[in-house]
Structure formats: C-alpha cells, structure tokens
Amino acid sequence: MSKTLDLATALISRPSVTPDDKGCQQLLIDQLEPLGFKTEKMCFGEGDDAVDNIWLRKGTETPLFCFAGHTDVVPTGPVENWQSDPFTAVERDGKFYGRGTADMKGGIAAFTTACQRFVNDYPNHKGSISFLITSDEEGPAHNGTVKVIETLEARNEKIDWCLVGEPSSTNKVGDVIKNGRRGSLGCALKILGKQGHVAYPHLADNPIHLTAPMLAELTTMQWDMGNDFFPPTTFQVSNLNSGTGTTNVIPGTLEMIFNFRFSTEITPEELQTRVEALLDKHELNYEINWALSGMPFLTAEGDLVSAAVAAIKSVTGLEPELSTSGGTSDGRFIAPTGAQVLELGPTNATIHQIDECVGIDELDTLENIYYTMLEELLA
C-alpha cells in the first residue's frame, strides 16, 4: 500500500469514538515532528468532558496554511452488521473499508503524507504550515476547535488559509469543494397547556390542538430567498413529543425541537424574533431555548479557492463545483477570524453509515491534490 493508505490504516485501527482520541494524535505528532513541526497539546474540559487537541506548526512566517481535522469518529452501530471489523481497514472490491475512511481519518492521512512530501521537496518553502486536530468534532464540539481558536486569537496567531479535510466530494474526489456553510440555529420549545380527561375537554387545554395552527404557519413561511452562494433558509422539525401514552388523557405539555439552516440573507436574531412573534400571535403559553451552533461563512474567492481549483484540474482534470450545501463543520469556528476556509476531502456517500468506505485510489488522489495546493501556495 501507499504511505497514505498505511497511515490511514494505522489511524482507523484506533477506536477513537468521540470524544476519545485513542492515540491518533500522538501518531500524527510522531509523523510530523521529524519534519520540524513543533507540537502544542491543548486539553480542554474536565472528566468525561475532557477533549484532546493538538496544534502543530512548522515555521513562524506568514502566510500560515492550516489543515484542520478531527480524529474522533461516530459510533459504529451494530458491529455484526459490518462486513468486516470497523476498526480494521480492509480492501475489498476496489474499496477501502473502515470507520473514518471518509470522515475523516482518510483526509488526515492524505494531508499528512502530502505535507511530508512537500517539506522534503521544498525545505525552504514560504510561510508556515500547521495542523489543528481535535477529537471533539462529532460530539458537542465545545472543547475542541472552538477552544483552540480562542487560544490562538488570544495571542494574535492568525491563520491565513484553512483547508478542512471533511468529505466534500460527491461522485469523484475533487468534484465538489465546500467554500462555505449555512448557519445552524436550533430551538427547544415547550408549549404549556392543561392536562385533563378527554371526556371533559372544557376543563383542560390541549397543547397539541393549540400548537397545530401555529405549526402549520411555521412550516410554510418563506424566511429568505437565498443568494448566489446560498439556497433559501430552511426550517425542519426534528422532534415532537406530547401525551401520556393513554387514550383518555389530554396532555399538559408539548415539546418540540426544530432547526434552521440559514443563509447570509438573514440573522439568527431575525429568525428568533419572527418565531416568537408567531407564538405570541397565536397566544401560546411557552418556554423557549435557542442554541446557535454556527454562523454561515463563505470564501467566495481568493488564493485558497484558486489553488484548490488549479490543483484539482491538474491532478484529476475535473472542473470542481463550489458549494455551500450540507451540514456544519469546524470551519464555522475558523472563518470568523478572517481566514479563507475551504472543505476538500474524499467522497461522502457512506459517511456515518455501516460499512463506511472510499474508493481504493481516492486517498492517493487526494494526497496529490493537497500536495499540489501546497505547491501553488507555498513553493
């Protein structure tokens, strides 16, 4: 196997289910310190909330190119449903199987070997190269990248270009670059009614009935029209719970969890104001708790976009699509510092699934793209 597949195999063998790193970061340190990278270990949180992070940097000059990634993976689900051990990398039928092959140990391995090759070929390269690696991306993300960025900002250590190795590709490596992401605003809403007997509804107040007209209006509202880079803001109910489990009791409360994925055309404050105005319009008695997971960000153009597009064309011949679709990533914590941020990684068809895999040649192709990007920017 190639050096990239060898390293990916070693990373996958460590069962680093979020937030446990299981030695993955030390493996990267062992690979990168001989190249001149200086390691700073950053552990945030206590007890079960403790999260391991590393900041590795080679050089002190600007511009600073940063690769951001995570060593934690989601749980495997029923291991017996996998065709092979999820924490043993296996080649089968032209594919490379294992938890994290796509999300995102494969991307970490590809950038690490690309960096090794680049530093050996260009020992006097311009600027600096860094790795920001967390084990808290698939979990709450409270003690991971966001805390590392706070530390860097406090000492005015600025990232110019950030490449996030998330699985961005759709059909072939490099066919899609994520040059931004929508914001994410979550909400836990409780509608308060009055419990009672179904035979005496005049003595109760059914929160399901009270909520239905409001919910019908909420699900059909147009929040914005989007723009050239973002689709219109979307609203989705993810949880709706009420009742005691019996047929003869009117429930006393209804609990609803919902989420907005929003564009740059609207602010979280505007979304909150419009929802609460609707609740008040329908004269509902409610308790509400908002949670902003991340603001939208966009790298519409610049050196990083140009380097990524040129590298993909050179290595694959593809003309990549720039897209802001999909979920959130840790790029949401880095972009507000002023860095140009892109996500570029393997195909994402099987991420978080049973039998997660990538094509056997994908990671080597990705390594070549990353290497060429480093040439474009720092050679």
Side-chain angles (χ1 to χ4, degrees), residues 40 42 44 55 57 64 66 132 144-162 332-341:
E40 188 173 354
M42 300 184 187
F44 299 104
W55 172 251
R57 178 165 179 166
L64 173 57
C66 175
L132 194 170
T145 299
V146 63
K147 290 291 181 68
V148 177
I149 289 297
E150 288 174 1
T151 302
L152 298 178
E153 285 288 286
R155 64 194 191 203
N156 201 33
E157 189 170 0
K158 293 287 189 178
I159 297 168
D160 296 287
W161 304 311
C162 182
R332 69 189 189 274
F333 303 126
I334 302 166
T337 68
Q340 296 177 33
V341 179

Side-chain angles (χ1 to χ4, degrees), residues 148-186:
V148 177
I149 289 297
E150 288 174 1
T151 302
L152 298 178
E153 285 288 286
R155 64 194 191 203
N156 201 33
E157 189 170 0
K158 293 287 189 178
I159 297 168
D160 296 287
W161 304 311
C162 182
L163 178 64
V164 185
E166 291 284 1
S168 64
S169 304
T170 302
N171 297 309
K172 295 181 179 180
V173 173
D175 61 358
V176 176
I177 299 170
K178 303 292 187 182
N179 68 322
R181 291 286 192 171
R182 295 173 294 174
S184 177
L185 176 66

Side-chain angles (χ1 to χ4, degrees), residues 300-312:
E301 57 187 11
D303 295 333
L304 189 61
V305 171
S306 298
V309 170
I312 291 167

Side-chain angles (χ1 to χ4, degrees), residues 194-206 248-250:
K194 183 180 180 182
Q195 185 173 314
H197 197 295
V198 296
Y200 302 94
H202 60 288
L203 299 177
D205 207 5
N206 193 322
N248 60 352
V249 178
I250 294 171

Side-chain angles (χ1 to χ4, degrees), residues 222-242:
Q222 181 76 53
W223 304 96
D224 60 47
M225 300 302 293
N227 54 37
D228 290 343
F229 300 102
F230 290 93
T233 293
T234 61
F235 165 88
Q236 285 293 314
V237 176
S238 55
N239 290 268
L240 190 65
N241 298 290
S242 189

